[in-house]
Amino acid sequence: GTIQDCSTCKIATITCHLLPSDVSQVNVSLILWKPTFIKAHFSSLNLTIRGELQSENSSLTLSSSNRKRELAIQISKDGLPGRVPLWVILLSAFAGLLLLMLLILALWKIGFFKRPLKKKMEK
């Protein structure tokens, strides 16, 4: 696969002013346009999102283990739309012909194809 680093991607900087609290949570959403992904020539996409937390408040000390986060997301599509494997087509055709032959055999066994009025037509 192709690996792109942040030098070719757009980098967003988000500044949040949080109210004093024991626990704060910040949610960041990422939009991947579905039509663009469907038309793309690849079947899966691996996104690695890196974030770093910084504080402008000098009295707030962040531990180095809680400062940086990395999140990996894999997005996959099932396959190219409109593509059916050849084995599915061949198996379906064979199963259809077999079913048709069994139906004809069953109708022939119960006498469906015999004409009951054949003797009357000859007279």
Side-chain angles (χ1 to χ4, degrees), residues 20-123:
S21 174
D22 291 341
V23 176
S24 297
Q25 179 175 331
V26 177
N27 294 327
V28 179
S29 297
L30 171 71
I31 297 174
L32 177 65
W33 295 104
K34 185 177 176 181
T36 304
F37 183 66
I38 289 173
K39 291 180 182 177
H41 295 292
F42 50 84
S43 61
S44 68
L45 177 65
N46 294 319
L47 295 175
T48 303
I49 301 168
R50 293 182 182 93
E52 183 175 350
L53 182 63
Q54 296 177 343
S55 175
E56 294 177 358
N57 186 349
S58 60
S59 64
L60 181 63
T61 306
L62 298 172
S63 66
S64 60
S65 63
N66 290 332
R67 189 173 229 181
K68 294 183 180 182
R69 290 284 188 244
E70 187 172 300
L71 177 65
I73 301 171
Q74 181 178 13
I75 304 168
S76 300
K77 54 184 174 180
D78 292 336
L80 297 175
R83 292 276 173 111
V84 179
L86 182 62
W87 70 269
V88 172
I89 296 171
L90 293 176
L91 184 65
S92 299
F94 178 73
L97 287 174
L98 183 63
L99 186 62
L100 181 64
M101 287 173 33
L102 290 173
L103 182 63
I104 291 172
L105 179 66
L107 290 174
W108 178 68
K109 285 286 188 184
I110 63 170
F112 181 78
F113 297 110
K114 293 182 181 178
R115 297 174 93 180
L117 302 176
K118 187 175 181 182
K119 294 178 182 175
K120 288 184 181 179
M121 289 180 73
E122 289 177 355
K123 291 181 183 178

